[in-house]
Amino acid sequence: MKTKLNGLLTLLFALVVQIAFAQTKEVSGTVTDGSGIPLPGVNILVQGTASGTQSDFDGNYTIEAAQGSNLVFTYVGFSDQIVNVGTENTYDMQMEAGESLDAVVVTALGISREKKTLGYATEEVSGDQVSTVTQGGNIANSLSGKVSGYRLSVTVT
């Protein structure tokens, strides 16, 4: 009799634990811009947690979230969007265009800064200038003479 009671209590405990873990659900959807084009790489975070994901190449995402939590959608060049998770399992998001970005400079240390905040001179080479190869037929030679301080060292082995 005692073993049956222990088995029943163990089963009841397992069911209670399962119900406690089942409070989160899988939420999915598609992220698009204002004209309906899918946006890849949109960050989707559950607000107040470290849980997050990114949309794939087709703008699709899947994330585990509890009912009542907020999903925060962020993407460069677009305003942040927040949606409250309700009873539905699918939330399609249309991102709204935000403020346009100025030029961002990536330094040698990998730190991104605006061009006007740097304390030193910078050079800008457009894609058209690089695509017109003048010397030797490679990209390294096309930068020669267009960027100050650029040195080309060739090692032949």
Side-chain angles (χ1 to χ4, degrees):
M1 179 72 177
K2 191 172 185 176
T3 57
K4 287 184 181 180
L5 182 62
N6 284 344
L8 186 61
L9 287 175
T10 304
L11 180 62
L12 181 64
F13 178 72
L15 289 175
V16 169
V17 169
Q18 190 68 15
I19 290 171
F21 283 121
Q23 290 182 1
T24 62
K25 62 180 183 174
E26 189 172 275
V27 177
S28 62
T30 303
V31 185
T32 59
D33 65 358
S35 59
I37 298 173
L39 293 174
V42 175
N43 294 315
I44 302 108
L45 296 171
V46 178
Q47 193 171 33
T49 68
S51 177
T53 188
Q54 282 190 335
S55 60
D56 64 9
F57 184 74
D58 297 322
N60 299 320
Y61 72 92
T62 303
I63 190 169
E64 292 284 330
Q67 187 171 340
S69 61
N70 290 327
L71 295 179
V72 181
F73 295 78
T74 58
Y75 195 65
V76 175
F78 290 86
S79 299
D80 294 354
Q81 303 288 324
I82 299 176
V83 66
N84 191 320
V85 177
T87 57
E88 298 178 21
N89 291 334
T90 303
Y91 293 93
D92 294 334
M93 178 58 61
Q94 186 173 10
M95 300 294 285
E96 297 176 7
E99 296 179 21
S100 62
L101 296 175
D102 290 334
V104 175
V105 177
V106 179
T107 64
L109 300 175
I111 302 169
S112 298
R113 297 184 180 165
E114 289 187 29
K115 192 173 185 179
K116 63 184 175 185
T117 62
L118 296 175
Y120 46 87
T122 61
E123 292 287 332
E124 186 173 317
V125 179
S126 68
D128 294 337
Q129 291 173 315
V130 174
S131 66
T132 57
V133 179
T134 57
Q135 303 171 355
N138 67 26
I139 192 166
N141 287 337
S142 69
L143 290 174
S144 181
K146 294 185 178 90
V147 180
S148 63
Y150 176 75
R151 292 186 185 151
L152 174 65
S153 61
V154 178
T155 306
V156 179
T157 57

